[in-house]
């Protein structure tokens, strides 16, 4: 009986292990030609990582292009500068849990976090530390790129696309990029995009995809130089969250760029510009090909805008129906704070900590250049530099409390009188001893 029970447990364990392994897909070998470094799809030269973690480096032979490494660096292939690199697979319904592409140098044409045509990736990851991308970085997959099979189906809603990436993470630390898209290409599906720009040079940056469906597009810029930045291009986005804390942008659109080819719709946008960001021109942009805020079903996006940096609104009239909260910079003793425009110093979140400095007694605020006193209740409309004047707090002399406790019993003994009596007795005794001698 015990043997039968053990056999059942063993069979059940094998079944569970087998079932668990069936849900996990091990990456296949990348798809490429050992002779050329690529396979052709239509006229496009493609390298498919098929879920393998790959690294792109500059070629050691000095030629333009790149070398792609995988299998922990034990395998590699040289590719030309017009290569298109995919983290996922091509025409493969396999669900890959992760793709990871890291570029440190070299030159490539396109990088896609997902796959081409029918493809599935749970989480696509792209990191660029250097190098040159001559056409685009696309966080999601490609649906009509290379246009070489029937997957490019415009009748199928993008939400149900066969080209799918659930989460696309793109981080750019340096490098030169022509076009950057957080989402996918063609009639693709991307659930959430997380794009971070920490440096580099870009011609165009779009929070969502070049087309298709994007659920939530999140983008954060801390540094770098951007020609044009927009939330949506073509296709649709449910919500975009764009946060800029640094870098420079020549033209920034809340929606899509003012271009006849930019027809994408967006339902909600949050734009937050703070820190040392410089935006030469801010525009309201479009949704559905028409200016956001005008009459039209596609133009009534839910928009929140917070401006706390050097931002030039190109046309104030565009924002007549758009809520904009503007901030000014208040610099106090070389520390910069953000204050909502039209508010006073006392409205600063840090106001109490500025006035109450340990060991110091606050005296007054003065304008940095003129030393003229500045009242904390004055409304501030523009950037201003101030000084907070303090003086050392006087050191208080410790007060010893008087002892008013009533004296009684032994406490009423006059010790001074006792001492004097002792001295007198000793003196008399001394005189007596001398006389006796």
């Amino acid at each position: 009986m015990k043997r039968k029970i053990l056999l059942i447990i063993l069979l059940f364990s094998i079944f569970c292990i087998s079932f668990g392994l069936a849900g996990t897909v091990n990456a296949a070998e990348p798809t490429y030609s050992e002779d050329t470094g690529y396979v052709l799809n239509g006229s496009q030269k493609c390298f498919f990582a098929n879920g393998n973690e790959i690294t792109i480096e500059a070629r050691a032979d000095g030629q333009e292009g790149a070398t792609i490494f995988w299998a922990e660096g034990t395998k590699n292939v040289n590719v030309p500068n017009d290569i298109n690199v995919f983290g996922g697979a091509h025409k493969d319904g396999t669900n890959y849990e992760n793709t990871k592409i890291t570029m440190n140098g070299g030159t490539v044409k396109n990088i896609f976090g997902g796959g081409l045509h029918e493809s599935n990736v749970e989480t696509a990851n792209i990191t660029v530390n250097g190098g040159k991308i001559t056409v685009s970085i696309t966080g999601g997959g490609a649906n009509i790129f290379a246009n070489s099979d029937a997957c490019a189906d415009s009748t199928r809603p993008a939400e149900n696309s066969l080209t799918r990436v659930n989460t696309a993470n793109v981080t750019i630390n340096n490098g030169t990029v022509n076009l950057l898209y957080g989402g996918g290409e063609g009639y693709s599906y991307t659930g959430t995009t997380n794009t971070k720009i920490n440096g580099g040079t870009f011609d165009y940056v779009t929070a969502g995809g070049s087309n298709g469906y994007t659920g939530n597009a999140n983008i954060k810029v801390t540094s770098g130089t951007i020609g044009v930045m927009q939330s949506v291009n073509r296709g649709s986005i449910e919500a975009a969250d764009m946060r800029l804390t640094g870098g420079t942008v020549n033209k920034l659109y809340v929606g899509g760029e003012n271009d006849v080819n930019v027809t994408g719709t967006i339902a909600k946008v949050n734009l937050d510009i703070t820190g040392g960001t410089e935006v030469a021109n801010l525009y309201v942009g479009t949704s559905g090909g028409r200016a956001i805020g005008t009459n039209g079903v596609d133009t009534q996006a839910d928009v929140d805008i917070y401006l706390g940096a050097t931002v030039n609104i190109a046309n104030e009239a565009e924002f007549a129906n758009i809520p904009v909260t503007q901030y000014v910079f208040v610099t106090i003793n070389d520390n910069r704070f953000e204050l909502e425009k039209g508010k006073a110093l006392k409205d600063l979140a840090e106001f109490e900590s500025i006035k109450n400095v340990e060991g110091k007694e606050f005296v007054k605020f003065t304008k940095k250049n003129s030393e003229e006193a500045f009242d904390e209740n004055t409304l501030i409309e523009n950037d201003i530099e101030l000084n907070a004047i303090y003086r050392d707090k006087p050191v208080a002399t410790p007060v010893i409390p008087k002892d008013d406790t009533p004296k009684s019993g032994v406490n009423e003994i006059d010790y001074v009188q006792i001492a004097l009596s002792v001295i007198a007795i000793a003196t008399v005794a001394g005189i007596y001893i001398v006389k006796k001698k």
Side-chain angles (χ1 to χ4, degrees), residues 106-241:
T107 300
V108 300
K109 185 176 181 180
N110 288 287
I111 295 177
F112 298 90
L116 174 61
H117 302 136
E118 182 180 4
S119 56
N120 293 279
V121 174
E122 287 296 322
T123 304
N125 301 284
I126 300 173
T127 301
V128 177
N129 299 313
K132 184 177 182 180
I133 296 86
T134 59
V135 178
S136 73
I137 293 175
T138 301
N143 180 266
I144 64 174
F145 180 83
N147 202 19
S148 58
D149 61 26
C151 191
D153 183 3
S154 61
T155 64
R156 179 191 294 270
E159 293 91 326
N160 300 325
S161 174
L162 296 177
T163 307
R164 306 182 72 80
V165 171
N166 283 337
T167 303
N169 301 316
V170 178
T171 300
I172 313 295
N173 297 314
N174 208 340
T176 302
V177 183
N178 182 18
L179 308 172
L180 171 61
Y181 299 104
E185 181 267 357
Y187 304 107
S188 61
Y189 169 91
T190 312
T192 299
T193 70
N194 300 303
T195 305
K196 296 179 181 178
I197 297 176
N198 301 318
T201 303
F202 308 81
D203 291 332
Y204 274 79
V205 172
T206 302
S210 67
N211 207 331
Y213 172 86
T214 303
N216 296 293
N218 306 302
I219 184 166
K220 183 175 182 179
V221 180
T222 64
S223 185
T225 302
I226 301 171
V228 176
M229 183 174 176
Q230 59 186 359
S231 62
V232 64
N233 187 54
R234 291 187 295 275
S236 64
I237 297 179
E238 296 295 335
D241 186 85

Side-chain angles (χ1 to χ4, degrees), residues 168-390:
N169 301 316
V170 178
T171 300
I172 313 295
N173 297 314
N174 208 340
T176 302
V177 183
N178 182 18
L179 308 172
L180 171 61
Y181 299 104
E185 181 267 357
Y187 304 107
S188 61
Y189 169 91
T190 312
T192 299
T193 70
N194 300 303
T195 305
K196 296 179 181 178
I197 297 176
N198 301 318
T201 303
F202 308 81
D203 291 332
Y204 274 79
V205 172
T206 302
S210 67
N211 207 331
Y213 172 86
T214 303
N216 296 293
N218 306 302
I219 184 166
K220 183 175 182 179
V221 180
T222 64
S223 185
T225 302
I226 301 171
V228 176
M229 183 174 176
Q230 59 186 359
S231 62
V232 64
N233 187 54
R234 291 187 295 275
S236 64
I237 297 179
E238 296 295 335
D241 186 85
M242 300 193 292
R243 298 177 183 269
L244 292 80
T245 62
T248 61
V249 182
N250 184 31
K251 295 181 180 180
L252 174 58
Y253 296 86
V254 178
E257 183 189 9
N258 295 324
D259 184 285
V260 293
N261 297 310
V262 177
T263 58
T265 61
I266 187 162
K268 184 176 182 179
V269 185
N270 179 76
L271 174 62
D272 195 334
I273 306 175
T274 58
T277 312
E278 294 184 11
V279 178
N281 299 282
L282 176 64
Y283 302 93
V284 70
T286 64
S287 179
R290 292 170 293 179
I292 290 176
T294 59
N295 292 327
V297 175
D298 296 333
T299 67
Q300 303 306 308
D302 181 7
V303 177
D304 290 309
I305 302 175
Y306 302 88
L307 305 182
T310 306
V311 179
N312 174 52
I313 296 178
N315 183 0
E316 294 278 356
E318 286 187 344
F319 292 85
N321 300 317
I322 305 296
V324 178
T325 303
Q326 290 187 272
Y327 291 85
V328 294
F329 289 130
V330 178
T331 304
I332 302 176
N333 295 351
D334 297 325
N335 295 311
R336 192 165 70 167
F337 305 94
E338 291 179 5
L339 176 68
E340 188 175 336
K341 189 175 181 178
K343 298 289 186 179
L345 283 181
K346 62 182 179 60
D347 297 312
L348 276 173
E350 302 87 355
F351 183 68
E352 290 302 322
S353 61
I354 293 171
K355 288 191 70 173
N356 298 298
V357 177
E358 186 176 356
K360 300 290 184 180
E361 183 177 3
F362 175 77
V363 178
K364 61 181 176 179
F365 292 107
T366 63
K367 292 183 179 179
K368 186 171 184 179
N369 295 329
S370 66
E371 297 186 0
E372 175 189 352
F374 189 85
D375 188 86
E376 61 192 40
N377 296 301
T378 301
L379 301 184
I380 301 174
E381 298 292 337
N382 299 293
D383 294 353
I384 190 170
E385 292 189 35
L386 303 170
N387 286 323
I389 309 300
Y390 307 92

